[in-house]
């Protein structure tokens, strides 16, 4: 079954963008997944095809109209999940990406201006997702990030399927460091353990590195990891 991605946006020309290259681009060419865009402007109101209006209650900026958004969504709506990319959404996680990759596809709603009229999100039961604690000019970059993370997990996309199991966020720990040839570069040597051929020692080293990096850089993930460990008798 082909994974189908639909992006509802004011800027369809931004797609596929980077998704047309590397793993995602090859998979797109091999019909492992498909991409189509819906231009919100096509459903705009009046002679100027207006898609936004001033907010009730006052305030700066403009808000995307619910009638326009609903018509755009309705043109492609099916059983796929509808996700609105917003800064206030739940953080995008690797687990959510895995779930999406196991499904038939996704419809992504990209906002601009001050965002969406809340009523269309409520009426459509849209899931709000954020890719980080910062503000972008629109949801398109967030949509690209979500799709890139999802597409690489589709069957047949990654060359080494096992590599995904050891990546950061695939487990509670961040990923360990990687090294390749030359064994010494600019006075920096590859750790001796990785050159030893002792597989158990290499596994232990990588585990220790992952734990140290997680504890130092992401204390929130480390706390979750510790809490998930079985209690000692």
């Amino acid at each position: 079954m082909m994974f189908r991605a639909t992006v509802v946006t004011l800027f369809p020309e931004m797609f596929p963008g980077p998704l047309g290259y590397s793993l995602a681009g090859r998979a797109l060419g091999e019909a492992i997944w498909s991409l189509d865009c819906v231009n919100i402007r096509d459903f705009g109101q009046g002679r100027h095809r207006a898609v936004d209006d001033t907010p009730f209650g006052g305030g700066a900026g403009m808000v995307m109209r619910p009638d326009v958004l609903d018509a755009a969504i309705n043109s492609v709506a099916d059983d796929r999940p509808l996700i609105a990319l917003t800064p206030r959404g739940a953080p995008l996680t690797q687990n959510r990406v895995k779930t999406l990759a196991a499904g038939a596809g996704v419809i992504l709603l990209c906002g601009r201006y001050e965002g969406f009229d809340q009523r269309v999100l409520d009426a459509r039961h849209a899931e709000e997702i954020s890719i980080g604690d910062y503000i972008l000019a629109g949801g398109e970059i967030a949509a690209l990030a979500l799709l890139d993370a999802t597409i690489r997990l589709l069957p047949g996309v990654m060359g080494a399927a096992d590599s995904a199991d050891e990546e950061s966020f695939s487990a509670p720990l961040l990923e360990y460091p990687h090294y390749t040839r030359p064994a010494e570069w600019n006075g920096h040597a590859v750790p001796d353990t990785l050159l030893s051929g002792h597989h158990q020692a290499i596994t232990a080293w990588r585990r220790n590195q992952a734990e140290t990096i997680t504890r130092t850089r992401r204390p929130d993930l480390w706390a979750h990891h510790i809490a998930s460990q079985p209690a000692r008798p």
Side-chain angles (χ1 to χ4, degrees):
M1 180 177 62
M2 180 188 296
F3 182 92
R4 182 186 172 205
T6 299
V7 181
V8 182
T9 172
L10 283 169
F11 298 99
E13 61 273 16
M14 294 180 68
F15 297 86
L19 298 177
Y21 299 88
S22 190
L23 292 175
R26 186 175 69 243
L28 185 61
E30 294 174 355
I32 294 175
W33 71 290
S34 69
L35 173 68
D36 56 283
C37 291
V38 173
N39 191 337
I40 298 172
R41 186 71 65 182
D42 291 342
F43 301 87
Q45 297 291 308
R47 184 177 64 177
H48 299 292
R49 293 191 176 276
V51 299
D52 59 342
D53 212 324
T54 55
F56 285 120
M62 304 288 278
V63 177
M64 299 185 76
R65 294 175 54 125
D67 49 352
V68 173
L69 291 171
D70 188 64
I73 296 167
N74 195 54
S75 69
V76 291
D78 51 28
D79 293 334
R80 291 173 295 162
L82 172 64
I83 294 177
L85 287 313
T86 71
R88 71 177 189 189
L92 180 64
T93 66
Q94 190 68 13
N95 283 338
R96 187 67 185 104
V97 166
K98 286 181 179 179
T99 302
L100 290 173
V106 65
I107 300 172
L108 300 177
L109 183 59
C110 300
R112 285 275 160 171
Y113 317 120
E114 291 301 310
F116 313 107
D117 185 299
Q118 183 63 39
R119 290 170 293 178
V120 73
L121 301 183
D122 294 341
R124 288 285 180 174
H125 304 290
E127 176 185 1
E128 296 185 54
I129 284 183
S130 168
I131 64 166
D133 295 338
Y134 44 84
I135 307 299
L136 299 171
E140 287 77 15
I141 292 176
L144 289 168
L146 184 150
L147 287 175
D148 184 82
T150 302
I151 291 160
R152 63 193 299 277
L153 298 183
L154 298 177
V157 175
M158 294 184 68
D162 291 343
S163 65
D165 296 333
E166 297 184 354
E167 294 175 327
S168 297
F169 309 115
S170 293
L173 300 176
L174 298 179
E175 195 172 10
Y176 52 79
H178 295 277
Y179 299 87
T180 188
R181 293 183 178 86
E184 185 171 335
W185 172 78
N186 281 4
H188 300 278
V190 173
D192 291 337
T193 302
L194 299 182
L195 304 176
S196 68
H198 193 299
H199 296 298
Q200 286 185 328
I202 291 172
T203 298
W205 181 90
R206 286 174 169 170
R207 177 74 179 191
N208 179 263
Q209 289 291 311
E211 290 179 347
T212 300
I213 291 171
T214 304
R215 185 172 60 249
T216 302
R217 301 181 184 178
R218 290 291 302 271
D220 57 326
L221 291 179
W222 179 251
H224 175 71
H225 169 66
I226 294 299
S228 67
Q229 300 302 300
R232 295 183 179 180

